[in-house]
Amino acid sequence: MEKKDKFSGIFHLYHLVSFFVSINAYLFSTFINSTAAQWGFSFSEIGFINLLLSFLYALSSITLGHIGYKFGYKKMMNMLFIYLFVLSFTGFFVNNRFWLYIFASLQGIFFGAFFPQVEGLIAQSESLLKVTPPSITGRFTLAWSSGNIFGVAFGPYLTVKARSIIFFYGIILSIVVFLLISRDKKINGELINFTPNRKLTTDSDKFDVVKDISRMKRLRLEYRIILFLGGLIYTSVLAEFPKLIKMAGLDISRAGFLTVGANIGVLLTFIALQYWKKWVGNEIICGVLLSVVLLTGVVALFAKTPLLFFLTAFLAGGSYAVPYTFAIFYGLLSTSEEHGKQGALHEMVIGLLFGVGPFVGGIFLDHFKSTFGLTFLSIILSILIYSIQFFFNKSKVVIEK
C-alpha cells in the first residue's frame, strides 16, 4: 500500500491528452514550415504564414479559450475534437500555397481554443484537490513539452517521406480522445476525478508570494511580457531552422532531429525548474536564468555544423521555457476563480509569439543571410528583457484587481 502511495497519483488522463495533442500540434506546424522550405518560401514568407497562424491562435484563445469555464471544459474539448477531425482531413488537400495558408489558419483556431480548456480544467480541478501551485503548472508543462519533442523530431521527416501519416494521426487522435472524454464526463462530471500523490499536496504554504495577490498580479504581467520577448528566439528557431539547415547543405528531412534540440531544452528546463524552486519570488535568480536568451545568440553566431545547430536550438528552448515557467506560475495560479480567463490570456501570448517570432526572425535572417540575424535579435531582446525587469522592480507597478 505504501508503494502505491509513493508512486501513483502523479499524472492523469488530461496530462495524457495534453501529451498526444502536443505531438499533433508540432507535427502540423513542422509540416507547414518544412513544406514552405521545400517550396522555396523566403524566411520572411515563412514568418508571414506563421504570423497568420498565430494571430488566429491568439484570437481563438481570447474569444473561445475561456468558454469552457462557463459551459464546461470537457464539453468544449469534445466539440474541438470534432473540429480536429475535419481539420486533419483538410491536410490531404494541401498541394499549393493557397491550401497551405488555409491549413495553417484552421490549425491556429483549433490549438488556440484547445490549450486554455485543458489548462483551465487541470488548474480548477487540482486546486480543489489542494495540489500545490508549482505541482499543477509543472506537471502540465512536462506533459505537453515531452509531446512536442516527438512532433518536432519526426514532422520534417514525415513531411518528406510520408506526409499522410501526419493527418491520419490527427484523425485517429480526435476519435480516441473524443470517446475517452465522453466516457469520463459521463462518469465523473465536469471535474477531474483524481487522487493526488501526497507529495503533490505538501508544502502548500511554503511559497509566500502566492498569498500576495497584488504582487502576483504584477509578476504575471511582467513575465507575460518577458515570455513574449524570450519566446521570439525559440519560435524563430522552430520556424526558420528547416530553411537554415537546407542552406547549410544538410538534408531537410533530417532537420527535425536538429531542431528538436529546442524542445529538449524546453523539457529539461521545465524539469529543472519544477524540482528546484528557489526562483519563486526571487527576481535576482530569475534575472540570472534569463541570460540564456543572450547565450543563445552567442552560440548561434558559430552554428555551421549539426552539433552547433542542435546546441543553438537547445538554448533557444531555454529562452522560452524559463520565462514560460514564471509566466504560467504567476498567471494561472494567481486567482483561483479565473482559471479559464488566465489560461486564455496565457495562450494568447503564446499564440502571438509563435507568429511574431518567425516573422521578426525571418526579417533579420533575410537581412543578414546567416545565423547572425539570430545573434543580433537576441542582443536586442536581452536589453528589452532586463529593462522591463528593472522597470517592474524599481517602480513597483501596482495592478488593480
Side-chain angles (χ1 to χ4, degrees):
M1 187 71 179
E2 185 66 27
K3 185 176 180 181
K4 182 178 179 181
D5 183 64
K6 182 177 180 181
F7 294 104
S8 66
I10 303 297
F11 296 101
H12 49 65
L13 171 64
Y14 292 92
H15 291 124
L16 194 64
V17 169
S18 300
F19 172 81
F20 284 109
V21 171
S22 180
I23 294 176
N24 199 173
Y26 282 81
L27 282 175
F28 281 2
S29 63
T30 52
F31 163 76
I32 292 168
N33 293 319
S34 297
T35 299
Q38 278 185 305
W39 290 354
F41 282 37
S42 69
F43 287 115
S44 298
E45 286 177 305
I46 294 172
F48 180 76
I49 195 171
N50 281 271
L51 183 64
L52 173 64
L53 185 159
S54 75
F55 172 76
L56 291 170
Y57 185 110
L59 184 63
S60 179
S61 295
I62 203 65
T63 56
L64 301 176
H66 59 88
I67 290 179
Y69 178 75
K70 187 174 182 179
F71 296 105
Y73 292 116
K74 295 178 184 178
K75 180 180 179 181
M76 185 64 185
M77 278 192 281
N78 262 354
M79 293 174 64
L80 287 169
F81 280 110
I82 295 173
Y83 179 93
L84 177 62
F85 182 85
V86 176
L87 167 62
S88 299
F89 267 111
T90 305
F92 291 107
F93 297 94
V94 178
N95 55 14
N96 56 49
R97 292 189 177 212
F98 172 78
W99 276 105
L100 188 62
Y101 275 93
I102 293 296
F103 182 75
S105 301
L106 295 175
Q107 175 193 337
I109 294 170
F110 171 77
F111 292 107
F114 169 77
F115 279 110
Q117 312 303 328
V118 72
E119 288 173 15
L121 175 62
I122 291 173
Q124 182 184 58
S125 298
E126 293 191 357
S127 293
L128 294 173
L129 294 170
K130 307 300 182 184
V131 177
T132 62
S135 295
I136 294 174
T137 57
R139 285 156 46 253
F140 170 71
T141 52
L142 289 177
W144 73 255
S145 63
S146 55
N148 67 39
I149 288 175
F150 293 94
V152 169
F154 292 100
Y157 180 82
L158 291 174
T159 297
V160 175
K161 304 294 185 180
R163 54 182 279 179
S164 61
I165 292 177
I166 294 173
F167 310 120
F168 278 123
Y169 177 88
I171 291 169
I172 294 169
L173 176 69
S174 60
I175 294 171
V176 172
V177 176
F178 178 89
L179 294 174
L180 287 173
I181 293 178
S182 296
R183 180 177 181 275
D184 179 57
K185 184 177 182 299
K186 183 177 180 180
I187 296 173
N188 299 309
E190 283 295 344
L191 292 176
I192 298 172
N193 183 18
F194 172 64
T195 303
N197 186 293
R198 63 187 177 186
K199 290 182 179 180
L200 303 180
T201 59
T202 56
D203 298 326
S204 60
D205 297 325
K206 181 178 179 180
F207 306 101
D208 292 335
V209 68
V210 177
K211 304 173 186 177
D212 189 339
I213 300 300
S214 177
R215 188 181 177 198
M216 286 281 281
K217 287 177 180 290
R218 176 175 62 82
L219 288 169
R220 83 182 179 200
L221 176 59
E222 175 186 346
Y223 284 107
R224 275 179 183 157
I225 297 171
I226 292 176
L227 165 61
F228 178 80
L229 295 172
L232 295 180
I233 290 290
Y234 169 73
T235 54
S236 293
V237 165
L238 287 181
E240 310 289 5
F241 253 38
K243 185 173 178 68
L244 276 172
I245 288 168
K246 184 181 179 183
M247 287 175 59
L250 302 173
D251 186 353
I252 193 173
S253 70
R254 299 183 181 181
F257 302 117
L258 301 179
T259 308
V260 77
N263 305 87
I264 294 173
V266 168
L267 177 63
L268 293 181
T269 301
F270 284 157
I271 292 173
L273 297 182
Q274 165 73 3
Y275 289 99
W276 182 74
K277 302 185 180 77
K278 295 294 185 181
W279 57 269
V280 178
N282 191 318
E283 290 285 76
I284 294 176
I285 291 178
C286 290
V288 172
L289 293 172
L290 288 168
S291 65
V292 69
V293 176
L294 182 59
L295 182 59
T296 303
V298 172
V299 176
L301 188 60
F302 304 98
K304 308 294 182 191
T305 65
L307 177 60
L308 286 175
F309 271 120
F310 182 89
L311 183 58
T312 301
F314 180 85
L315 292 170
S319 298
Y320 172 69
V322 168
Y324 182 102
T325 302
F326 305 158
I328 197 170
F329 176 83
Y330 294 127
L332 197 57
L333 278 303
S334 60
T335 51
S336 61
E337 74 280 4
E338 293 185 318
H339 298 117
K341 176 183 175 182
Q342 295 305 323
L345 289 170
H346 179 78
E347 289 303 322
M348 182 190 71
V349 174
I350 300 300
L352 288 173
L353 73 87
F354 265 81
V356 177
F359 186 68
V360 173
I363 292 172
F364 276 83
L365 287 167
D366 270 336
H367 180 76
F368 290 102
K369 306 297 183 183
S370 72
T371 53
F372 182 73
L374 290 177
T375 303
F376 193 65
L377 178 59
S378 73
I379 293 171
I380 295 173
L381 293 174
S382 294
I383 293 171
L384 290 173
I385 285 170
Y386 286 121
S387 296
I388 288 167
Q389 194 179 44
F390 179 82
F391 169 76
F392 272 85
N393 282 276
K394 286 297 182 182
S395 63
K396 299 299 181 184
V397 176
V398 175
I399 310 298
E400 297 296 332
K401 293 185 178 180

